[in-house]
Amino acid sequence: MTEKTTTMHVVPFHISIGSEDNVTFALYISTPTKTFATPVTIPDEIIQLGIRLLQPHNMEPLGDAGALGRTLGGILFPAVVRDLLISSAREANSENGRIQIQLQIAVPELAALPWEWAVIEGTRSWVPSVNEDYGVVRLSSVTEPAPPIGVDGPLQVLMCVPPNQKSEYSAIHTLLQNEIAEQRIHITIIEIHGLADLNNTLSREVYHVVHLVGDVTLNHEQYMNITFGTEIDVFELQEVLSTYSDIGLVCVTCGGLEEPQIRAIPQIFAALLLSRTINAAITFSGVSSPDIIVRFAATCYNAIIDDIPLDLAVTRGRRALTSGRRDTSWGLPQLRIVPGTDRLFLFEPPRDPWRWIWSVTAVVGIAAAIIGAILLGRFLVEGSTPLDTPPTIIMPTPEL
């Protein structure tokens, strides 16, 4: 990460969608210098898609991601918003800042939509969520961010997977082998059956990131669970995670399908895991293959240990999923943060393995010099012969 990116301050570009009658909608835009509202038309098929996504077990095939992205982009970024976004980005850049697009959508069926796929059309088409000049985040309702967590040593990541699936995610060790060898990150993959397994693991070691790979469901009693060997209730999980103050980031991904499917339940589940101690949650707005999950996670975590801001680390993770023309999974990752979250972790400078030797050598050298001076002083005092008579003072002879 360049020093310029590290020192850039974030300029919020806040977008929300509101409706009083679920028929007419308005976009509300807020920047540090301008606030306005503008009416927006939302196609009925998009509203119906959002309604279906909120159903407990519903999964929607992604279909034409390009068409969906253009539709979503037309809603979020009409000409007046697009022009303000670009001018705000230019102004921020001139003042050593960068834009962060902050989504906070109060209409449930619209919040369920995968806005990260949004495409802005103009003289050329571009996507903010894969552009490092525009971080895209969703804001949490938690109002006060926790302070950054100090990391002394490697970033400790715990990846929890269902029974008999560990091998499907072990490729992350290969993708991060250099960083692991340099002791900048450590990845632990465990197969868990329930909440007790997770709690026992967390109690034995310090972990900074907990990545959960399981099936997220909403049952008929309206309880939201993630399933490994058994179901884990979201509120019980949140209570356990919140007791470990070194955890700053949780990730929730659902794996098992080669073709991505869109779901809203995982993002709701991840949002409920935020707390007074956990400032950020990453999730996928659907189900994807283990390969996609591992590629995203390895890239994102690698960026985090490079001290890249979290929103841009997620951007890099999305970009890692754009390698092929037919790979449309890049729009799945979502980042939700507590407002005001700038950094999750404060990394200590890497330890020099020879530092202790130099320190010991220096201490020994100083001690030896002091002892030597003392012994020499004693030798000179004890070995000298005292004078019987004081020395004669010879006065100078006056010149003739």
Side-chain angles (χ1 to χ4, degrees):
M1 179 183 184
T2 64
E3 183 180 353
K4 184 176 186 296
T5 305
T6 305
T7 57
M8 277 183 158
H9 66 276
V10 170
V11 179
F13 192 95
H14 189 274
I15 303 176
S16 62
I17 302 177
S19 174
E20 294 183 356
D21 53 12
N22 286 335
V23 176
T24 57
F25 299 91
L27 275 175
Y28 300 91
I29 310 299
S30 176
T31 74
T33 59
K34 191 169 185 178
T35 300
F36 71 94
T38 182
V40 62
T41 300
I42 301 179
D44 184 65
E45 61 267 23
I46 292 295
I47 297 174
Q48 293 303 316
L49 172 61
I51 292 173
R52 292 195 303 273
L53 288 174
L54 290 176
Q55 296 173 4
H57 302 288
N58 189 67
M59 284 193 295
E60 293 286 324
L62 176 57
D64 189 340
L68 176 62
R70 289 189 293 272
T71 300
L72 295 175
I75 296 170
L76 273 189
F77 303 104
V80 63
V81 177
R82 179 198 63 208
D83 293 345
L84 178 61
L85 176 64
I86 294 173
S87 64
S88 298
R90 289 172 177 165
E91 182 179 350
N93 186 66
S94 68
E95 299 176 355
N96 196 32
R98 64 180 181 87
I99 290 292
Q100 184 182 79
I101 299 174
Q102 300 176 343
L103 304 179
Q104 197 165 29
I105 300 172
V107 184
E109 58 268 30
L110 299 182
L113 295 167
W115 296 102
E116 287 71 15
W117 261 294
V119 175
I120 296 179
E121 294 193 285
T123 53
R124 64 179 181 87
S125 297
W126 57 286
V127 181
S129 66
V130 294
N131 191 315
E132 293 196 11
D133 292 329
Y134 304 85
V136 177
V137 304
R138 301 195 183 211
L139 294 187
S140 164
S141 58
V142 179
T143 57
E144 205 58 42
I149 296 167
V151 178
D152 183 9
L155 183 74
Q156 298 284 351
V157 178
L158 177 65
M159 180 173 280
C160 304
V161 302
N164 304 316
Q165 292 190 23
K166 185 175 181 179
S167 62
E168 297 182 30
Y169 297 91
S170 60
I172 194 170
H173 290 126
T174 302
L175 295 176
L176 291 172
Q177 59 183 336
N178 292 334
E179 291 75 18
I180 293 172
E182 294 167 359
Q183 296 187 15
R184 300 175 62 217
I185 190 170
H186 186 263
I187 309 287
T188 302
I189 305 176
I190 64 167
E191 297 176 351
I192 67 172
H193 293 78
L195 190 59
D197 290 344
L198 174 60
N199 196 21
N200 289 338
T201 301
L202 293 174
S203 65
R204 291 194 297 266
E205 298 287 345
V206 169
Y207 291 99
H208 307 110
V209 179
V210 175
H211 188 147
L212 305 164
V213 183
D215 184 24
V216 178
T217 58
L218 181 67
N219 63 24
H220 296 296
E221 288 78 25
Q222 301 301 304
Y223 289 108
M224 195 169 294
N225 305 298
I226 186 168
T227 302
F228 294 94
T230 59
E231 292 182 346
I232 300 175
D233 176 76
V234 65
F235 295 110
E236 293 179 351
L237 176 60
Q238 194 250 25
E239 183 178 357
V240 167
L241 294 177
S242 297
T243 61
Y244 298 97
S245 58
D246 289 297
I247 299 174
L249 172 64
V250 293
C251 301
V252 179
T253 52
C254 303
L257 296 175
E258 291 301 323
E259 295 297 327
Q261 305 280 330
I262 308 174
R263 293 183 65 198
I265 301 301
Q267 63 169 292
I268 300 172
F269 186 95
L272 292 173
L273 294 178
L274 295 180
S275 66
R276 289 179 299 174
T277 58
I278 299 175
N279 282 2
I282 297 172
T283 187
F284 277 17
S285 58
V287 183
S288 59
S289 68
D291 171 68
I292 289 171
I293 292 172
V294 166
R295 268 194 291 154
F296 169 82
T299 306
C300 182
Y301 298 155
N302 197 2
I304 289 174
I305 62 177
D306 279 341
D307 212 14
I308 290 174
L310 182 60
D311 58 340
L312 300 187
V314 173
T315 298
R316 293 196 178 184
R318 293 191 191 105
R319 290 173 68 91
L321 305 181
T322 62
S323 55
R325 287 186 175 183
R326 299 183 62 186
D327 195 344
T328 56
S329 301
W330 54 265
L332 286 170
Q334 295 183 3
L335 170 62
R336 187 174 297 272
I337 64 170
V338 173
T341 299
D342 292 324
R343 302 180 70 185
L344 289 183
F345 305 109
L346 293 176
F347 293 96
E348 297 291 334
R351 295 181 176 181
D352 189 334
W354 293 98
R355 183 185 300 171
W356 71 274
I357 297 178
W358 296 333
S359 300
V360 170
T361 302
V363 170
V364 170
I366 293 171
I370 293 173
I371 293 171
I374 294 172
L375 293 176
L376 179 61
R378 289 179 177 175
F379 173 79
L380 293 174
V381 171
E382 294 172 358
S384 61
T385 303
L387 297 174
D388 295 331
T389 57
T392 303
I393 300 175
I394 303 177
M395 301 299 290
T397 304
E399 294 181 359
L400 296 176

